Amino acid sequence: MHVSDGTPIPALVLLGSGGAAVLLTWATLPRLAAASPARVAAATSVFFVASQLAFPVPPTSVHLSFLGLAGVLLGRAAFPAVLVGLVLQRALLGHGGWTTLPLNACTMGLGALVAGLVFHAGGARERPAWRAAAAAALGTATALGLYGAALLSAGDALRDVAWVCVVAHAPVLVVETLLTAQAAAYLARVQPSLLAAPPTAAPPTPPPAAAEAPP
Amino acid sequence: MTRAPLLIALAALLALAGPALAHRLNVAARWEAGRVVVEVYFSDGTTPAGAEVIASHDGVEVARGRTDAAGLWTFTPPGAGRYALAVTEPGLHRGRAVVEVPATVPATAPTDAAPAAAAAPPEREGTDWVGLALGLAIIAALGLGLGLLQRARRP
């Protein structure tokens, strides 16, 4: 699901850079300061490692991302988590490209944000597995749609290839939907607090204790 | 929801996944018996058939072709020098490699391209476990840093 260097038109690369900067600012400033470090690190690790779970879908090869699970666990803080995962994937594993890094952050990060929005919509607590399934399906579908649009921006030469790439990722959507639903069902049993909506701001600073009254 | 969907998905995933779990498109090339042998493969062991390979010398394209089912393609370079290989597989994963051709190549050798059915595959890279471990360590360090930052901000 990574867009490689040289594939999209330069204007889209610039648009992706601007979009990533805006989303990073919006998602990071108050939320990341309030997010559980362990939860952020765990979701980022899952995103980073899951991209190594590749399986062939002729004529290409696809891999998982678990961006839906990141959205379910982190809400808006999923965007910086996805961005860190993408940077590490490019730097250490050779996935994607440096110039397309912001664009990839937008396509996958927006997918994660959609997943978080769907899962936490209304603040309902019932049926976490089904809500996680819907969140993962819609989040992954969003990322796939943006990925396909990025490829189509390259012109008619890549039109057929873009469709092949998007269709080849259909199994990814199915597998991620199932696994995210199972993960949510498991967490609902053993640690339901992990599925609660992440705080949107750091807790307020308590007022200083009043000076003791003189006797 | 039962565990059946999870087990089915995991079983299918493990059945399809290669022995090494990685996804980068690797390009290996070497000079062998008057030809340059190019092999294209994912680190999970799968080989993309039909990957387009463009060989260039000093920025000028000298040969172009597609890999066979084994991910192999060969070409005969027109002369000695350093050849850049750019590969794009059908899923738009890209890879690059450079191969040095020694000066023993006849200057009049024809340029052609053909599948390398009999060529021995070059040695393959495996999953980058060091990269994976380093990435997880960096994520853990970032998480620790975030926790320390939050603690420092608390009154």
Side-chain angles (χ1 to χ4, degrees):
Chain A
M1 211 184 293
H2 296 73
V3 180
S4 301
D5 283 333
T7 300
I9 57 175
L12 192 63
V13 173
L14 289 175
L15 185 65
S17 301
V22 170
L23 285 170
L24 186 63
T25 304
W26 172 74
T28 300
L29 287 179
R31 280 97 189 172
L32 197 58
S36 159
R39 201 194 295 197
V40 173
T44 307
S45 298
V46 168
F47 177 82
F48 173 67
V49 173
S51 70
Q52 299 300 288
L53 293 171
F55 51 94
V57 179
T60 184
S61 174
V62 297
H63 62 79
L64 301 181
S65 67
F66 283 121
L67 55 88
L69 184 61
V72 166
L73 292 177
L74 300 180
R76 292 180 181 181
F79 189 84
V82 167
L83 181 60
V84 168
L86 287 171
V87 169
L88 293 175
Q89 286 170 1
R90 180 63 194 93
L92 300 173
L93 305 173
H95 282 210
W98 285 117
T99 63
T100 54
L101 185 62
L103 182 62
N104 286 324
C106 283
T107 59
M108 294 192 219
L110 280 172
L113 292 176
V114 166
L117 194 65
V118 170
F119 184 78
H120 296 291
R125 294 288 179 270
E126 63 275 9
R127 295 176 179 260
W130 290 104
R131 284 191 293 121
L138 287 173
T140 308
T142 299
L144 274 179
L146 293 171
Y147 169 66
L151 297 183
L152 285 173
S153 76
D156 291 341
L158 289 183
R159 179 172 296 173
D160 293 340
V161 176
W163 283 112
V164 167
C165 289
V166 171
V167 171
H169 281 83
V172 172
L173 192 151
V174 174
V175 171
E176 293 212 11
T177 298
L178 291 172
L179 293 180
T180 303
Q182 288 297 321
Y186 176 75
L187 290 175
R189 284 198 306 272
V190 301
Q191 193 72 28
S193 62
L194 287 176
L195 298 178
T200 56
T205 304
E212 289 185 14
Chain B
M1 188 174 285
T2 67
R3 292 184 179 180
L6 174 64
L7 295 176
I8 292 172
L10 280 176
L13 189 65
L14 292 174
L16 289 170
L21 302 175
H23 192 61
R24 183 177 55 195
L25 185 66
N26 295 307
V27 181
R30 64 176 174 174
W31 169 246
E32 181 181 279
R35 299 178 303 171
V36 172
V37 180
V38 182
E39 184 180 24
V40 181
Y41 60 97
F42 291 108
S43 295
D44 62 0
T46 57
T47 53
E52 184 179 58
V53 187
I54 299 175
S56 304
H57 181 53
D58 289 337
V60 178
E61 180 179 324
V62 297
R64 177 189 291 248
R66 291 188 180 275
T67 57
D68 59 15
L72 294 171
W73 179 73
T74 65
F75 74 101
T76 303
R82 187 178 175 89
Y83 289 82
L85 304 165
V87 181
T88 304
E89 63 93 42
L92 290 181
H93 297 98
R94 299 177 194 271
R96 292 184 178 275
V98 172
V99 61
E100 291 281 353
V101 173
T104 55
V105 180
T108 56
T111 299
D112 62 355
E123 187 175 348
R124 292 182 172 187
E125 298 175 17
T127 296
D128 191 353
W129 296 109
V130 175
L132 273 176
L134 185 59
L136 291 175
I138 291 173
I139 292 170
L142 290 174
L144 187 62
L146 178 61
L148 292 175
L149 185 67
Q150 291 176 352
R151 177 171 293 187
R153 285 186 173 183
R154 286 191 197 127

